[in-house]
Amino acid sequence: MSTPLHGLRTTIYYVADLDDATAWWTEFLGFEPYFNESFYVGFSVAGYELGLVPSEEDAGASLSYWGVDDVDAAIDAALEVGSSLHEAANDVGDGIVTGAVLSPHGNIVGFIFNPHFELTD
């Protein structure tokens, strides 16, 4: 069973200091985040999601999500070829579903269904 990937959609950066990281990315990008809460800060960069998540434990790590039509099906397909479940499919709000597997090589592979995704310039 193969799963068509629609390209990268989201990159998450885990940061120790969310306020400092938000200020840096705001200055670097030249615009404010569209979503700014204590648990997540989101920037829309040409239609792609750049997210900041506070985490002392994982600071410096990142996670990318591949766009798919069905997160559960993508996870099932990855499990069939030797991956293990890292994060079950989860509706994170507004119809957006994420989930992830751990590849046999130790990489976290994220999947996302985002009905609002639209490339912009």
Side-chain angles (χ1 to χ4, degrees):
M1 168 191 258
S2 67
T3 299
L5 300 178
H6 301 305
L8 291 172
R9 296 290 189 259
T10 301
T11 296
I12 303 293
Y13 293 109
Y14 296 96
V15 298
D17 186 331
L18 187 61
D19 291 335
D20 185 62
T22 300
W24 187 87
W25 278 102
T26 299
E27 183 175 358
F28 179 69
L29 294 171
F31 55 87
E32 297 284 327
Y34 75 90
F35 187 87
N36 191 343
E37 295 291 335
S38 62
F39 58 91
Y40 184 82
V41 173
F43 294 88
S44 179
V45 182
Y48 296 95
E49 180 82 4
L50 186 160
L52 305 175
V53 173
S55 176
E56 291 286 337
E57 182 179 307
D58 296 322
S62 62
L63 171 62
S64 295
Y65 287 94
W66 291 91
V68 295
D69 291 328
D70 183 329
V71 173
D72 282 312
I75 289 173
D76 288 345
L79 294 175
E80 285 183 19
V81 294
S83 294
S84 58
L85 184 63
H86 180 74
E87 176 189 334
N90 180 38
D91 187 324
V92 297
D94 210 17
I96 301 167
V97 179
T98 64
V101 297
L102 186 63
S103 79
H105 311 97
N107 303 109
I108 299 172
V109 180
F111 303 111
I112 186 169
F113 171 75
N114 182 347
H116 314 287
F117 177 77
E118 185 176 317
L119 288 175
T120 62
D121 290 329

